[in-house]
Amino acid sequence: MEKISNIVFIGAGNVATNLAHELKSKGLNILQIYSRTLNSAEKLASAINAKFTVKEEEILQTADLYIVSVNDDIILDVLKNINLKNKKIVHTSGSVDINIFSNITDNYGVFYPLQTFSKEEIISFKEIPFCIEANNLSFQNQLIELANIISEKVQILNSEERRVLHIAAVFACNFTGYMYLISNDILNENKISFDILKPLIQRTAEKVKKIEPIEAITGPAKRNDIEVIKKHLIYLEKFPEFKKIYKDLSDSIIEYFNNKNNTNVKL
Amino acid sequence: MEKISNIVFIGAGNVATNLAHELKSKGLNILQIYSRTLNSAEKLASAINAKFTVKEEEILQTADLYIVSVNDDIILDVLKNINLKNKKIVHTSGSVDINIFSNITDNYGVFYPLQTFSKEEIISFKEIPFCIEANNLSFQNQLIELANIISEKVQILNSEERRVLHIAAVFACNFTGYMYLISNDILNENKISFDILKPLIQRTAEKVKKIEPIEAITGPAKRNDIEVIKKHLIYLEKFPEFKKIYKDLSDSIIEYFNNKNNTNVKL
């Protein structure tokens, strides 16, 4: 089986930055970084000693693999002026169907690391679940081999499974990140440091390593403690948007456990 | 200063169970556990070699401190048949005002550990922020001394500050726990193991140790990636309640960052 050695990145965002660093550190050749944003292309390229360009026509034609890592809704727009006929292409998105590439080339796939990345902190991929999909077995095997170099948790998922996983990840990661953001804003307003919440945040995440989320959840809504919820809503008058979220989520939690309990009684 | 040595717990839930174990392990005498639920009282008492009772009139009168750790909305109801005149009393709640005890005794306060607890896993208090409040300085100093034995992060907070902190904690911990629960349910429906999300959950929590929540947040709503959000909402038709939460939180995140950006432009 032909091995993937030379890679071009199309995109220089959070995922591309972390993935390019990781592949480089494992001995792969990152030939070039393309991005529409000069600053992003230049910064990533110089960090990993690669070339860069902001011009579609200058994208190198010699790579074994083109990794497209841009916002989902501009993938096709970015690709329309790039000649990738007969090239091997993957994207790194949770929710984009593999067939987005079907009119572009004969070897296409998905190379999706299930993690939240930031350019500011480059992390190891060892523990990151890697979801692979390809339109043919030979290319799929190449992608698995490549992923195995950087991650111990490589698996094959089809586009439908990957989308479900991405939706679950939006709840577990993105919405959770918004909860942190809200709590930070509420504390800031009261000149209390966010530091005080950090052990609680860590512990909340650690709990579900060992026990089921339904056993781990605590708090006024879980306990159906209406008096506390009412007091909190009164305080939150000064944050109307956060008050709405507090009320909606508390109602939903109460209903969730009411339904669970009713179901149990009926069994 | 008189030292607190002998403690009675009123309540045997998650907080009481963890706190009683911790105090016992640091050499304090846990004289007795009272709970309305025989099984809870008996289980905690036997684990830490204390007495127990389910009868108010049997509560020992010899303790230096009575720690009331029951659901917020039943604190007064539980106490109304217990003679605690002239005793030292604290509760362990984030949102209950210190003055709830003002008609009961002359020495009262709050002993609030900011953490999420489960009976199933007894944890160390070393890193747990401990919030202290008392109605007089002498008792406050006793409580600080006691808290210092088990935690390195003891601080004085008044009832108003503590409520704000508790509200922030509901977002950062309880609602986050609900997000984990939803993601678990979505994966279960598709026979995908929740294990695959665990590195992402841990990383999301770790990120905000070092970078501000507003910098850490990622995802389709943060990127204003409407096409992905639409696809996710179509999938979530089969979970109407989760679909509503997905839509409301995505709308809120988009609005949050729109406002932020507008504000920035105006500056």
Side-chain angles (χ1 to χ4, degrees), chain B residues 9-27:
Chain B
F9 272 87
I10 295 170
N14 294 336
V15 178
T17 297
N18 275 269
L19 189 53
H21 273 88
E22 179 76 14
L23 290 168
K24 170 82 179 178
S25 78
K26 291 294 193 294

Side-chain angles (χ1 to χ4, degrees), chain A residues 155 165, chain B residues 184 187-188 190-198:
Chain A
Q155 56 187 288
L165 182 58
Chain B
N184 184 53
L187 291 182
N188 277 353
N190 290 276
K191 314 251 183 288
I192 301 173
S193 165
F194 183 66
D195 285 344
I196 197 171
L197 280 185
K198 289 179 182 175

